Amino acid sequence: MEAAERAVVILLAAGAGRRVGADEPKAFLTIGGRPILAVAAGAAAASPLVGSVVVTAPAGWEERARGCVEGCGVPAEVVTGGATRQESVRAALGALPSATRVVAVHDAARPFAPPDLFTTVIDSVSDETPGVVPVSSVPDTVKQIEAGRVVGTLDRSRLGLAQTPQAFDVEVLRAAHDQAAAAGVALTDDAAALERAGAAVRAVAGDPNNVKITTLLDLANADARMGGADG
């Protein structure tokens, strides 16, 4: 991929993060003395296939977001996110440069995604598989539950836990999101939009350290991890 054709990364940072119990949006909380958003942006920008980032920020927090990604290593734009993840992704898609061919969508709450994971998913997008999702193995036995009763045990060898960044042919992703929005369908990730539209999605190996910060304990563990890295 030539430098002029490098991918754009959408960093989703518009969530309130209520489960963390903080007074400010989760992406602006610090780990190792740095905002989570800044750490995530730096990791994305370190991939040689990433040319720029578009950040979705909560309304009223746009300037704070710009400060977090300033100097991340690639050009960065901040847009106002929506009330849902899907709305935020669609807002960011509307801000992409017209020449964009491949986009990677990443949750800023996964600040430890390594640069080579961005490179892998972006490089794996093709005409045959316009969507790419990193997955990790399922370590525990999975039970199917109905009305409080176990009705089956699923074959975990056929299951995977989805991570981000997920990479896509931008036009395929845009069309899939438009279809889902028109149908009023709520999705938990962007790969699901392609799956629903019938587009092929390739699974690649995720990273076991690519954890999502969701709870206060996750935040404390991430802060300790950053401190350990600094020490």
Side-chain angles (χ1 to χ4, degrees), residues 15 35-37 85 98-99 124 127 133 143 152 159 191 201 206 209 219:
I36 291 172
L37 174 57
R85 188 183 192 282
S98 59
S124 298
D127 292 339
V133 55
K143 299 293 184 181
L159 303 175
V201 178
N209 294 314
L219 181 66

Side-chain angles (χ1 to χ4, degrees), residues 148-227:
R149 296 185 62 182
V150 175
V151 297
T153 300
L154 303 182
D155 180 4
R156 65 183 180 185
S157 68
R158 301 181 61 190
L159 303 175
L161 303 177
Q163 300 180 353
T164 66
Q166 300 175 5
F168 307 94
D169 177 295
V170 67
E171 294 305 326
V172 175
L173 179 63
R174 185 176 281 120
H177 266 285
D178 287 347
Q179 290 180 30
V185 175
L187 303 169
T188 57
D189 74 351
D190 299 280
L194 265 71
E195 295 161 28
R196 182 182 179 278
V201 178
R202 178 181 176 184
V204 298
D207 189 299
N209 294 314
N210 183 20
V211 296
K212 187 175 183 180
I213 298 175
T214 302
T215 66
L216 189 59
L217 178 59
D218 296 333
L219 181 66
N221 287 339
D223 186 52
R225 178 174 170 183
M226 288 289 288

Side-chain angles (χ1 to χ4, degrees), residues 4 10 17 86-87 89 97 104-105 145 186 204 206 209 219 227:
I10 293 173
Q86 286 167 257
E87 290 178 7
V89 172
V105 184
I145 309 297
V204 298
N209 294 314
L219 181 66

Side-chain angles (χ1 to χ4, degrees), residues 16-95:
R18 294 184 180 87
R19 282 178 284 182
V20 177
D23 295 330
E24 58 184 352
K26 179 170 55 179
F28 304 110
L29 302 177
T30 59
I31 52 175
R34 299 175 63 199
I36 291 172
L37 174 57
V39 177
S47 166
L49 297 188
V50 172
S52 63
V53 298
V54 175
V55 179
T56 65
W61 292 84
E62 294 88 352
E63 285 304 316
R64 179 79 171 272
R66 290 186 184 96
C68 289
V69 298
E70 184 179 10
C72 71
V74 296
E77 181 175 354
V78 176
V79 299
T80 305
T84 67
R85 188 183 192 282
Q86 286 167 257
E87 290 178 7
S88 290
V89 172
R90 296 186 77 203
L93 287 173

Side-chain angles (χ1 to χ4, degrees), residues 84-165:
T84 67
R85 188 183 192 282
Q86 286 167 257
E87 290 178 7
S88 290
V89 172
R90 296 186 77 203
L93 287 173
L96 297 182
S98 59
T100 304
R101 295 190 304 115
V102 176
V103 62
V105 184
H106 185 52
D107 297 321
R110 291 184 182 270
F112 298 120
D116 61 358
L117 186 57
F118 286 88
T119 300
T120 295
V121 295
I122 291 168
D123 196 43
S124 298
V125 173
S126 67
D127 292 339
E128 293 74 27
T129 54
V132 181
V133 55
V135 299
S136 61
S137 60
V138 179
D140 300 316
T141 299
V142 181
K143 299 293 184 181
Q144 183 176 351
I145 309 297
E146 293 182 8
R149 296 185 62 182
V150 175
V151 297
T153 300
L154 303 182
D155 180 4
R156 65 183 180 185
S157 68
R158 301 181 61 190
L159 303 175
L161 303 177
Q163 300 180 353
T164 66

